[in-house]
Amino acid sequence: MVYPADSGVPSVKKHRKINILQRDPWLFFVLACFILLAFVSWGKLAHPIFDTGQEAEITARLLAGEVLYRDLQNYYGPLPYYVNALALLLFGHHLEVFYAVGLVLALAVTLLTYQLTIRLTNKPWAALCTICVLIYCAFAPGGLFNLIVPYSYGSVYGTVFCLLAFTAVDRYGHTGKTRWLVAAAIACGLAGLSKQEYGVSGLVGVLVGANLRPRNLKGVVVRSILVILVASICVIIPFALLAHQVSWETLQTSILPVSKSQVLTKSGLFDVSAGKTLNITRSTFNVFTATSIVIWLALAFAGWLSRREWIPNNRYKILIEGIVSIAFSLLGLVLLRINIWENAFKIGLVVLLVICVASLATRWLSRREWIPNSRSLRLAVKSLVVLCFVFLCFLILRRLACCSDVVFHPLGNMAWLLPLLVAWFALSFRELIQHRHAPLLYALFAFSMLLNARFLFYIGFYGIYAVTALILFFTFLYNLAEKTSLPISRFLLICLLIGGGMNLVELGQYRYAVRSPEGTIYTKYADLAVAFNQTIKYINASKAKSVLVVPAGATLNFLTKTHSPSQETIFLPGVVPTPDAEREFIDRMKNKPPSLIVYVHVPFWWLQPGYQSYAEFNPLIDQWITKEHQLVYSSPQILGFGNGKEWAINIYASK
């Protein structure tokens, strides 16, 4: 079925120069937000211990001549590692190269998100959706689960290729040209080479979108075979080339490791039980409901206030409504987070102080002879009031950002979003199937559901898995706003201003630098930065080239330009799963001994109720390190990123 082509789009003469800012100021606004967030977040990584360092170490070792899957244990597709290795080859062994790669990929996600959302809504709503993606997916503080310094660059590459595939599906739905279907299949194949679940989910999304409301069964079969065949060829050819250096058996066991499933059963973090899913959906939706009510009440009060007769004109009405909406929303959200009875007096005192200062300043200014006319007086008073409210909002933002256990505002955690999308598609099936961009809608829906199926259909690790779901969410709200008179766009704008402000405030806390000639990381933990800097200094002074880092912290390898002798680059539960595997690992290390062993004693509090320390799940390796090697260095005690528990970095050398 070919859906109606876009209508109402003005034609543009060939060779005519068009100012992109005049044509689409909303895109300019989105790009301005991207540049701001990119500048503020550059090099800031809260967790320089875990997966991001592994991504850098694997890429660097590929340039040293090692082969993925044979010399380096890895679960994901090869494409991102070799593309990143090419970037390192071109621009040098610097951590900033990975930041730049992340920014390029995030920019691609930004532009594709904006373009796809325009197809489903309009430009203002597309801008809102894209800014939401920037705040919660691209530049979310903390690292690991954003698009700039992710736990796996494969997930970011996969997101880009899948968005390209859905763009091609949309064009196929409007033109019926097979070349768009082939392009979508190629993009799915590249997504599969990046990360397996993205390739599979993207392929299902393309098949759903391409075969929506088919005319005949033969067409469905032909299209499906074409898409699957092209995508399979794109995956098989690169793996066949790798198989000349790595056996097919090794490839299979690397990409589909059975031992990795242990971490899913042992760790509460990865629990995918139905009970946990229901509890997460219920609790996060309760937060959304409560915080949404606060913001809607603030909007209602601001609207009432702006209609008062003493507000002089429309310009000031808009200004006052915006300031009051944000200020009272922030105040209400703080009251929800804290014990109201104990802190209401303090908050009321702050608000009263702001009002008194503004009132006294008004009276004082009105008596000054150097105020030439009433217009200047009004401007000065209103400027003072605005500054007071801005200062109050800044204090409240700091309060919210410091309480980082739960981001307490409507869009802070949307694990409940997938059930909402299921209900929307089920109840509005007849309407959505007739939508002029129905192939795109259903492709995004199928992809979002299947990608998050591992968590029993809630969005886990919100930022990096939620791009397409957010596009559907904003499409749902756009349709709801079209049918009602509710100021939904204002509600979303306040949510984004609060979320973006909290991100900027939190990113401002990343002030402590971990420095090396190979790159710089900014963290918010002063003691962690000191320990890392001293460890880097010791490794560099030792002139060691072979350094084993256990159980995590391959960032140290990259920042000291050393390589691990181990196939494993991170030692989480399941990587070396059994005592026999531990003995085999120790034998390998004895045959290829490292110059130094860096033992990072970070507590695994985030794996509760599973393992609490590395010695608990790999005791034989722990004993081999501590009893058969000599302790030559111990860093100062670290409290940052330890959930209240102290830890340290020890370095061992052969006796």
Side-chain angles (χ1 to χ4, degrees), residues 272 277 281 415-420 422 446 448-460:
V272 292
T277 298
T281 301
W416 51 268
L417 178 55
L418 295 182
L420 170 70
V422 171
S448 301
M449 296 302 297
L450 188 56
L451 182 65
N452 293 282
R454 71 172 92 179
F455 303 112
L456 288 185
F457 307 106
Y458 74 88
I459 299 177

Side-chain angles (χ1 to χ4, degrees), residues 20-37 107 110-111 114 123-132 134-135 492-493 496-497:
I20 188 173
L21 303 186
Q22 294 178 353
R23 184 181 180 185
D24 195 350
W26 292 103
L27 179 58
F28 171 73
F29 180 67
V30 168
L31 293 177
C33 292
F34 181 92
I35 293 171
L36 172 64
L37 290 170
L107 180 60
T110 300
L111 296 175
Y114 181 75
K123 290 181 179 180
W125 277 82
L128 285 175
C129 177
T130 309
I131 291 171
C132 184
L134 291 180
I135 293 172
L492 290 171
L493 183 60
L496 295 178
L497 287 172

Side-chain angles (χ1 to χ4, degrees), residues 106 125 289 304 314 349 358 362 378 433 458 471 504 515 530 535 537 540:
W125 277 82
T289 303
W304 174 85
N314 290 332
L349 188 62
T362 301
R378 288 197 302 270
I433 201 69
Y458 74 88
I471 295 175
L504 291 175
R515 298 188 185 277
V530 170
T535 303
K537 184 178 179 180
N540 287 337

Side-chain angles (χ1 to χ4, degrees), residues 12 58 206 221 259 290 333 427 447 489 533 535 582 636:
V12 180
I58 290 176
V206 168
V221 173
S259 62
L333 294 176
L427 297 175
F447 173 79
S489 59
N533 282 324
T535 303
E582 288 187 77

Side-chain angles (χ1 to χ4, degrees), residues 144-471:
L144 294 186
F145 302 114
N146 63 33
L147 303 183
I148 309 301
V149 280
Y151 81 100
S152 167
Y153 278 94
S155 59
V156 189
Y157 279 90
T159 300
V160 172
F161 289 128
C162 287
L163 291 178
L164 287 171
F166 301 143
T167 302
V169 166
D170 183 61
R171 296 313 306 159
Y172 173 76
H174 286 276
T175 64
K177 295 181 178 179
T178 306
R179 67 174 184 237
W180 290 111
L181 205 56
V182 173
I186 293 173
C188 288
L190 295 176
L193 284 174
S194 302
K195 205 161 185 282
Q196 298 90 309
E197 63 263 36
Y198 282 84
V200 174
S201 302
L203 183 62
V204 171
V206 168
L207 291 174
V208 169
N211 294 305
L212 197 64
R213 291 188 63 181
R215 292 182 179 179
N216 55 72
L217 181 60
K218 180 180 178 181
V220 172
V221 173
V222 170
R223 284 190 295 270
S224 300
I225 291 176
L226 176 64
V227 170
I228 294 173
L229 180 62
V230 173
S232 300
I233 291 174
C234 292
V235 172
I236 291 173
I237 290 177
F239 276 111
L241 294 175
L242 272 174
H244 286 289
Q245 298 173 300
V246 181
S247 67
W248 283 107
E249 182 181 359
T250 302
L251 288 176
Q252 181 180 356
T253 55
S254 297
I255 296 176
L256 301 171
V258 177
S259 62
K260 189 182 178 183
S261 62
Q262 287 195 3
V263 75
L264 299 178
T265 56
K266 185 70 176 178
S267 169
L269 180 67
F270 294 95
D271 180 15
V272 292
S273 65
K276 181 178 179 180
T277 298
L278 291 174
N279 287 334
I280 289 176
T281 301
R282 176 185 52 79
S283 61
T284 55
F285 186 74
N286 289 342
V287 171
F288 174 82
T289 303
T291 52
S292 296
I293 290 173
V294 168
I295 294 180
W296 282 111
L297 290 175
L299 280 171
F301 177 74
W304 174 85
L305 190 64
S306 66
R307 292 190 293 270
R308 297 308 92 195
E309 296 179 356
W310 49 271
I311 303 296
N313 54 48
N314 290 332
R315 182 188 305 173
Y316 292 122
K317 286 182 180 180
I318 295 174
L319 178 64
I320 290 175
E321 186 174 356
I323 292 174
V324 172
S325 299
I326 296 172
F328 277 86
S329 296
L330 286 170
L331 183 61
L333 294 176
V334 169
L335 290 175
L336 284 177
R337 288 190 63 93
I338 61 179
N339 189 318
I340 297 178
W341 301 111
E342 292 182 2
N343 296 277
F345 175 75
K346 296 178 182 179
I347 295 175
L349 188 62
V350 172
V351 174
L352 181 62
L353 180 62
V354 171
I355 295 174
C356 290
V357 169
S359 177
L360 291 174
T362 301
R363 292 184 180 182
W364 182 82
L365 285 171
S366 65
R367 297 171 184 159
R368 298 305 96 190
E369 296 179 356
W370 46 269
I371 301 293
N373 53 50
S374 58
R375 182 179 179 183
S376 299
L377 175 61
R378 288 197 302 270
L379 180 61
V381 171
K382 288 177 174 58
S383 299
L384 180 62
V385 172
V386 169
L387 288 175
C388 290
F389 270 110
V390 168
F391 180 69
L392 177 61
C393 292
F394 175 76
L395 293 178
I396 296 174
L397 278 171
R398 284 187 63 85
R399 169 74 181 183
L400 286 171
C402 291
C403 303
S404 58
D405 52 340
V406 178
V407 181
F408 205 71
H409 62 89
L411 304 184
N413 190 328
M414 295 177 66
W416 51 268
L417 178 55
L418 295 182
L420 170 70
L421 296 179
V422 171
W424 177 42
F425 273 78
L427 297 175
S428 305
F429 175 78
R430 292 183 179 179
E431 176 186 351
L432 296 179
I433 201 69
Q434 298 297 330
H435 195 283
R436 63 174 181 163
H437 295 289
L440 174 59
L441 267 175
Y442 278 86
L444 292 171
F445 177 70
F447 173 79
S448 301
M449 296 302 297
L450 188 56
L451 182 65
N452 293 282
R454 71 172 92 179
F455 303 112
L456 288 185
F457 307 106
Y458 74 88
I459 299 177
F461 306 137
Y462 176 25
I464 209 163
Y465 292 102
V467 175
T468 55
L470 287 177
I471 295 175

Side-chain angles (χ1 to χ4, degrees), residues 387-640:
L387 288 175
C388 290
F389 270 110
V390 168
F391 180 69
L392 177 61
C393 292
F394 175 76
L395 293 178
I396 296 174
L397 278 171
R398 284 187 63 85
R399 169 74 181 183
L400 286 171
C402 291
C403 303
S404 58
D405 52 340
V406 178
V407 181
F408 205 71
H409 62 89
L411 304 184
N413 190 328
M414 295 177 66
W416 51 268
L417 178 55
L418 295 182
L420 170 70
L421 296 179
V422 171
W424 177 42
F425 273 78
L427 297 175
S428 305
F429 175 78
R430 292 183 179 179
E431 176 186 351
L432 296 179
I433 201 69
Q434 298 297 330
H435 195 283
R436 63 174 181 163
H437 295 289
L440 174 59
L441 267 175
Y442 278 86
L444 292 171
F445 177 70
F447 173 79
S448 301
M449 296 302 297
L450 188 56
L451 182 65
N452 293 282
R454 71 172 92 179
F455 303 112
L456 288 185
F457 307 106
Y458 74 88
I459 299 177
F461 306 137
Y462 176 25
I464 209 163
Y465 292 102
V467 175
T468 55
L470 287 177
I471 295 175
L472 292 174
F473 177 62
F474 275 77
T475 304
F476 165 75
L477 292 181
Y478 170 77
N479 291 336
L480 184 62
E482 291 285 300
K483 298 174 182 178
T484 65
S485 58
L486 295 173
I488 297 177
S489 59
R490 295 184 186 181
F491 166 79
L492 290 171
L493 183 60
I494 290 177
C495 292
L496 295 178
L497 287 172
I498 293 173
M502 290 175 63
N503 280 10
L504 291 175
V505 170
E506 183 173 352
L507 287 170
Q509 299 174 8
Y510 289 63
R511 303 186 299 271
Y512 307 103
V514 177
R515 298 188 185 277
S516 161
E518 317 309 327
T520 302
I521 296 172
Y522 294 94
T523 179
K524 60 182 177 180
Y525 306 117
D527 49 359
L528 187 148
V530 170
F532 263 66
N533 282 324
Q534 292 187 10
T535 303
I536 291 170
K537 184 178 179 180
Y538 184 92
I539 295 173
N540 287 337
S542 70
K543 306 296 184 181
K545 294 300 180 183
S546 176
V547 176
L548 173 66
V549 180
V550 177
T555 309
L556 289 168
N557 284 120
F558 190 88
L559 292 177
T560 57
K561 214 169 183 178
T562 61
H563 294 312
S564 170
S566 168
Q567 295 176 352
E568 301 82 3
T569 52
I570 194 168
F571 294 83
L572 296 181
V575 173
V576 184
T578 63
D580 288 339
E582 288 187 77
R583 295 185 188 95
E584 190 271 335
F585 169 80
I586 294 171
D587 290 339
R588 279 192 280 124
M589 292 300 98
K590 288 181 178 179
N591 293 329
K592 194 178 179 181
S595 302
L596 296 174
I597 299 177
V598 178
Y599 197 168
V600 183
H601 288 274
V602 60
F604 287 86
W605 51 266
W606 51 278
L607 285 177
Q608 289 179 350
Y611 302 102
Q612 298 300 301
S613 68
Y614 176 65
E616 291 183 30
F617 58 86
N618 280 153
L620 297 182
I621 297 177
D622 171 79
Q623 294 172 15
W624 170 69
I625 295 173
T626 56
K627 294 182 178 180
E628 297 187 25
H629 295 82
Q630 179 182 1
L631 179 64
V632 294
Y633 167 82
S634 184
S635 75
Q637 290 295 307
I638 309 168
L639 188 61

